[in-house]
Amino acid sequence: MSAFFQKLYIVFVKFHKHDFSFLFYLLSVMMLAYGVLIPLLGFYWDDLPFLWFMRFFNDLDLITLEAHRPFTGIFFFILRPILQFSPLRWQIFNLLNRFILGIAGWYLLRGIFTTRKNLVDWITLLFVLYPGFDHQFISVNSSRHIFSFSLLLLSLRLSIKTLENPRRMIWIQLCAVILSSISMLMSDYFYMLEIFRPVILLMLISPKINPRMYLNRIFRLWAPTLLSFLLIGYWRIFGIGQPYYQIVVSNADHGFELSRVIKTILADIQEVASLVWFEAFTTPKIEEIGSTSIWFYILVVILVFILSSVYFIIRGKEGSHPSITSKLPSSGGIKVALLGLLLLVLGGVPSWAVGLPIRVSGIQSRLSLPMSLGASLLVGGVFDLIKSRRLRIAFLASVVAFSAGSQFHTAVGFRWDWQRQRTFFWQMVWRIPDLEKYSVIASHEFPFVYETDNSMTAIVNWLYSPEVTSERIDYMVYDIKTRLGGRIPKLEPHLEISHVYREFGNGRQVKFEGSTSNMLVIYHKYPACLRVIQPVYDGHMTGFSPYINQALDLSNPELVKFESVEIEPILEKLYGPEPEGSWCYFYQKADLARQKGEWQLVYDMGEAALSLGSNPSHVSEYAIYIEAFGRKGDFTTAKDLTALAIQRDPGLDRLLCDVWRRIEIASSLSKPEQSIINDVVRNDNCLAYPD
């Protein structure tokens, strides 16, 4: 038996000595970082509009989805019949997509640092686990950017191939131009990274020849992709009318200030290349992600640390392949770091040029992806300066492990975001069975991290008007704070709203036209139930944001139609089976019944809700049942619920006073019943704060 294990160990060590063993290790680490929660994830942010377009718009619209990124539509057109509308399929695809990006980066770096294989492996690991890019799980939208990045890196590697295979230089250059062009036409995030190509050639071509011949050779090798780079840049800026984002060289307040630009660049580079790695070591709190998730987080960090340590210990020291000439001195950690700094700057130029902030979390973290390879090279160069091999491995394994843990932590956040989105969807179905056409749903503080009003517009149209047969869509969702003064002119009635939701490359516009008088205001502060604002009931409600209070009188609940729309099967499958029997289920059914004036049904829903034995997340949700029990004559229960509500939130006194006034007006009261009401209501302060 001992001989068997000894042979097994020898095979294990030999396998790890092989170059391609790293790819198996890379995939294993990525599965731990990204793959554990994949079955529990869904669609987010711009995924939702893209899926809506894929489902209902014709092939020509889809193919010409983005005029400034023409290959995006083709990419989605090819993937639509394969991945369809399954979150699991898209998440698995994007994990493999990220793995391919890692292979492309690894292949490129192997061509630059031929004998620094351990160094290349470190950088590749940091690259695929880069904790500043958390859009991995926004699988539909990020997939085209990740794929585009892979194409560019492969194109750069082909330029190195022209040096290794001069006889096939023309064909290799042609392939490099094609891949680079597709990349630039699919995503503009990586446009300036093309400038890295001549830098690679400068590094790899021997400068011992005549300087003029040296530069001439570099230019000839770069010329085909440079021409494509210039033509696409000219077309994108001048040829399509205007770029998607306007290039900003100054602003009205400050004009062009070189010091301000430099300060912005340095701050972004510090955040993207330095602070983000330290932030990866910040462990999540148990109350933030839950006890089960925290144990999985710890397990991911420990497993990745062990895997990384064992792998690099077995791999041995650099220099185990003396037959290959190094393109970089073994003491070149500083050069690697400087190369990373160059890539950081090139990767950030597109964002800085249009004035978009670069962040390492949230929506804007998508802009850190072009800088992720540079950030990884910078850190890899710093690791290379550590003389002690054991210390270097310990530091590397720690950074890799906590970066993997950071990505798992991000996945937990997306899991909860998907749960909130599903909750929001089903509460919309229960409370708003159907909606008058050309209505605006307005809100503030949506209960999501990644979804915006633009995202939810697609879902609302998919729910209430799935067939897009014209160039006019039926519904818009607006965040009041974001859109006030723009798409929402003012919070006044009878003002026209006109908004082009999407303009396709074929010239078709999908437009919304409505009015501020056709506005339904909603409020959903998770975990409280979604609330359709009704001025008659919510006039004295506390806890709303200032923007909801400003728009309260504009909310028109009469836009809600009581006959349920038939949910499109794919959408119903997407959000899962209807979760009946919760507090919010009964609350939404009761609120809809209240709007219809069916107080018996409100009373029945109240009994069912109270029988659950759970309390609402916001005690104001008791108000609807207090009124139902009071109208039914069950004043004892109504009085007890009022006392409970006031005890938990004294600020609700005016709202509950309104409830009891309506009970008094709607009921024919006996003297004992009037006495009970008098115990609750006072003429001076309204509520008597009953015990």
Side-chain angles (χ1 to χ4, degrees):
M1 184 63 70
S2 60
F4 171 77
F5 283 111
Q6 188 175 8
K7 290 181 180 179
L8 187 64
Y9 175 75
I10 293 172
V11 171
F12 179 75
V13 172
K14 285 184 177 180
F15 171 76
H16 277 72
K17 292 289 185 180
H18 196 284
D19 289 345
F20 286 95
S21 66
F22 173 72
L23 300 183
F24 290 94
Y25 161 68
L26 182 67
L27 183 59
S28 300
V29 169
M30 291 182 68
M31 287 294 295
L32 288 169
Y34 298 112
V36 175
L37 294 179
I38 273 181
L40 303 177
L41 303 181
F43 293 121
Y44 312 91
W45 193 44
D46 280 355
D47 289 356
L48 303 172
F50 286 150
L51 289 167
W52 183 51
F53 297 143
M54 283 188 245
R55 177 67 183 92
F56 294 109
F57 288 72
N58 62 51
D59 292 346
L60 181 60
D61 287 338
L62 182 57
I63 290 173
T64 59
L65 182 62
E66 292 187 332
H68 64 300
R69 297 168 180 163
F71 272 87
T72 287
I74 297 172
F75 180 73
F76 289 147
F77 178 76
I78 293 171
L79 291 178
R80 178 177 60 179
I82 302 170
L83 304 180
Q84 299 177 359
F85 303 93
S86 165
L88 181 60
R89 290 186 187 183
W90 277 99
Q91 292 291 345
I92 292 174
F93 168 75
N94 213 33
L95 174 57
L96 295 176
N97 197 19
R98 189 73 175 266
F99 179 56
I100 291 171
L101 176 62
I103 294 175
W106 178 76
Y107 187 43
L108 170 63
L109 295 175
R110 280 292 181 103
I112 299 173
F113 313 125
T114 54
T115 61
R116 302 303 315 281
K117 296 187 177 183
N118 284 352
L119 174 66
V120 170
D121 292 350
W122 306 340
I123 297 169
T124 304
L125 270 174
L126 297 169
F127 178 44
V128 298
L129 296 174
Y130 176 68
F133 176 72
D134 61 8
H135 277 223
Q136 174 66 33
F137 306 106
I138 307 178
S139 55
V140 179
N141 182 61
S142 69
S143 62
R144 40 63 178 276
H145 297 301
I146 293 173
F147 187 73
S148 173
F149 202 179
S150 298
L151 294 181
L152 176 63
L153 296 182
L154 290 174
S155 174
L156 294 173
R157 183 63 175 87
L158 287 176
S159 289
I160 299 175
K161 280 288 185 182
T162 60
L163 303 177
E164 300 170 351
N165 298 279
R167 293 182 179 180
R168 299 181 179 179
M169 184 179 71
I170 295 177
W171 294 107
I172 295 173
Q173 279 186 315
L174 178 61
C175 291
V177 171
I178 291 172
L179 292 180
S180 176
S181 300
I182 294 174
S183 174
M184 287 186 284
L185 291 171
M186 183 177 292
S187 174
D188 43 14
Y189 286 9
F190 317 102
Y191 182 74
M192 290 303 297
L193 293 181
E194 175 60 35
I195 306 300
F196 187 48
R197 195 182 305 268
V199 176
I200 296 173
L201 297 174
L202 280 167
M203 291 173 58
L204 299 184
I205 296 175
S206 173
K208 295 180 181 180
I209 59 177
N210 181 285
R212 184 175 179 179
M213 293 178 61
Y214 174 60
L215 295 176
N216 183 55
R217 187 182 180 193
I218 291 172
F219 180 76
R220 284 190 293 108
L221 290 172
W222 187 33
T225 49
L226 174 62
L227 179 61
S228 173
F229 170 80
L230 295 174
L231 289 174
I232 290 174
Y234 181 86
W235 166 81
R236 181 166 275 138
I237 296 173
F238 302 106
I240 59 175
Q242 64 178 24
Y244 192 73
Y245 292 106
Q246 291 289 337
I247 296 176
V248 179
V249 295
S250 64
N251 62 51
D253 296 327
H254 304 284
F256 179 76
E257 296 180 3
L258 182 61
S259 60
R260 180 175 55 83
V261 173
I262 293 175
K263 186 177 180 180
T264 299
I265 291 173
L266 292 177
D268 287 349
I269 288 176
Q270 182 184 24
E271 181 173 359
V272 169
S274 176
L275 297 180
V276 67
W277 303 105
F278 291 101
E279 290 174 2
F281 284 85
T282 303
T283 56
K285 298 177 181 178
I286 190 169
E287 60 269 20
E288 178 185 353
I289 67 173
S291 57
T292 302
S293 295
I294 200 72
W295 283 112
F296 271 103
Y297 168 84
I298 294 170
L299 184 62
V300 166
V301 171
I302 291 174
L303 287 177
V304 173
F305 180 84
I306 293 172
L307 281 172
S308 302
S309 301
V310 169
Y311 177 82
F312 284 107
I313 289 171
I314 293 177
R315 285 285 290 175
K317 299 180 180 180
E318 298 278 19
S320 58
H321 303 275
S323 61
I324 303 175
T325 303
S326 175
K327 301 293 196 309
L328 188 78
S330 60
S331 60
I334 294 177
K335 293 182 179 179
V336 174
L338 290 174
L339 199 62
L341 188 59
L342 172 64
L343 276 173
L344 279 165
V345 174
L346 293 176
V349 167
S351 300
W352 296 322
V354 296
L356 289 176
I358 302 173
R359 299 291 181 264
V360 292
S361 62
I363 296 297
Q364 298 302 118
S365 78
R366 70 192 192 278
L367 303 176
S368 71
L369 182 60
M371 305 175 76
S372 58
L373 182 57
S376 304
L377 277 163
L378 182 61
V379 174
V382 172
F383 279 139
D384 197 51
L385 296 175
I386 300 174
K387 299 301 181 181
S388 169
R389 179 170 172 265
R390 290 182 178 180
L391 188 60
R392 186 165 59 238
I393 290 176
F395 275 123
L396 173 68
S398 298
V399 173
V400 169
F402 279 95
S403 295
S406 176
Q407 291 294 357
F408 176 81
H409 180 200
T410 299
V412 173
F414 275 99
R415 175 195 174 188
W416 292 121
D417 200 68
W418 180 237
Q419 183 59 44
R420 291 186 178 194
Q421 194 184 142
R422 292 178 62 197
T423 299
F424 178 86
F425 172 81
W426 281 113
Q427 290 194 53
M428 285 278 290
V429 171
W430 299 328
R431 180 58 185 87
I432 311 173
D434 200 356
L435 190 62
E436 290 287 349
K437 286 190 175 184
Y438 315 128
S439 298
V440 172
I441 294 179
S443 188
H444 179 229
E445 296 180 341
F446 286 99
F448 319 115
V449 176
Y450 289 93
E451 287 69 61
T452 63
D453 53 3
N454 191 66
S455 313
M456 300 317 296
T457 290
I459 294 302
V460 167
N461 278 276
W462 197 339
L463 174 60
Y464 297 117
S465 183
E467 296 297 334
V468 183
T469 57
S470 68
E471 295 183 352
R472 182 177 180 181
I473 59 174
D474 295 336
Y475 307 100
M476 281 301 305
V477 179
Y478 285 140
D479 180 282
I480 300 170
K481 180 181 178 180
T482 305
R483 308 304 180 186
L484 186 59
R487 295 171 186 174
I488 303 176
K490 294 180 180 179
L491 291 176
E492 298 176 0
H494 310 301
L495 298 179
E496 291 185 1
I497 293 176
S498 182
H499 171 206
V500 177
Y501 181 70
R502 168 67 60 167
E503 183 170 359
F504 295 90
N506 61 2
R508 179 183 177 186
Q509 290 184 338
V510 179
K511 190 174 183 179
F512 174 80
E513 293 180 347
S515 166
T516 53
S517 294
N518 288 343
M519 182 179 290
L520 184 69
V521 182
I522 64 173
Y523 189 67
H524 189 195
K525 192 168 184 179
Y526 190 87
C529 302
L530 180 147
R531 189 186 296 265
V532 170
I533 303 301
Q534 301 176 79
V536 66
Y537 295 119
D538 296 317
H540 289 145
M541 175 63 189
T542 60
F544 289 151
S545 75
Y547 292 96
I548 295 295
N549 287 328
Q550 291 176 44
L552 189 143
D553 290 334
L554 279 178
S555 187
N556 183 6
E558 292 182 2
L559 296 172
V560 175
K561 298 163 69 174
F562 300 134
E563 295 296 325
S564 298
V565 68
E566 184 176 350
I567 303 175
E568 209 268 336
I570 290 178
L571 186 63
E572 186 172 14
K573 183 178 180 181
L574 178 63
Y575 282 107
E578 183 176 4
E580 297 182 4
S582 65
W583 173 275
C584 286
Y585 171 82
F586 293 117
Y587 176 82
Q588 301 301 348
K589 293 292 186 179
D591 198 26
L592 182 63
R594 176 174 66 172
Q595 183 179 336
K596 292 192 289 185
E598 297 178 355
W599 286 101
Q600 179 61 47
L601 182 56
V602 179
Y603 177 83
D604 294 340
M605 293 296 104
E607 285 197 320
L610 295 176
S611 69
L612 295 174
S614 58
N615 296 319
S617 296
H618 198 285
V619 290
S620 65
E621 293 163 11
Y622 279 131
I624 188 173
Y625 300 132
I626 292 171
E627 185 165 354
F629 283 110
R631 285 173 178 262
K632 188 69 174 177
D634 187 352
F635 294 108
T636 301
T637 303
K639 182 179 177 181
D640 291 343
L641 289 177
T642 302
L644 178 60
I646 287 297
Q647 182 181 9
R648 291 177 58 183
D649 188 353
L652 292 174
D653 58 337
R654 296 187 67 191
L655 176 75
L656 296 176
C657 177
D658 293 341
V659 169
W660 281 96
R661 293 298 188 197
R662 289 195 297 270
I663 292 172
E664 189 173 19
I665 293 171
S667 306
S668 299
L669 302 175
S670 64
K671 287 186 178 181
E673 291 171 338
Q674 184 65 56
S675 177
I676 293 175
I677 291 182
N678 292 338
D679 287 341
V680 178
V681 180
R682 288 178 178 172
N683 291 327
D684 50 358
N685 296 322
C686 187
L687 288 183
Y689 298 87
D691 296 327

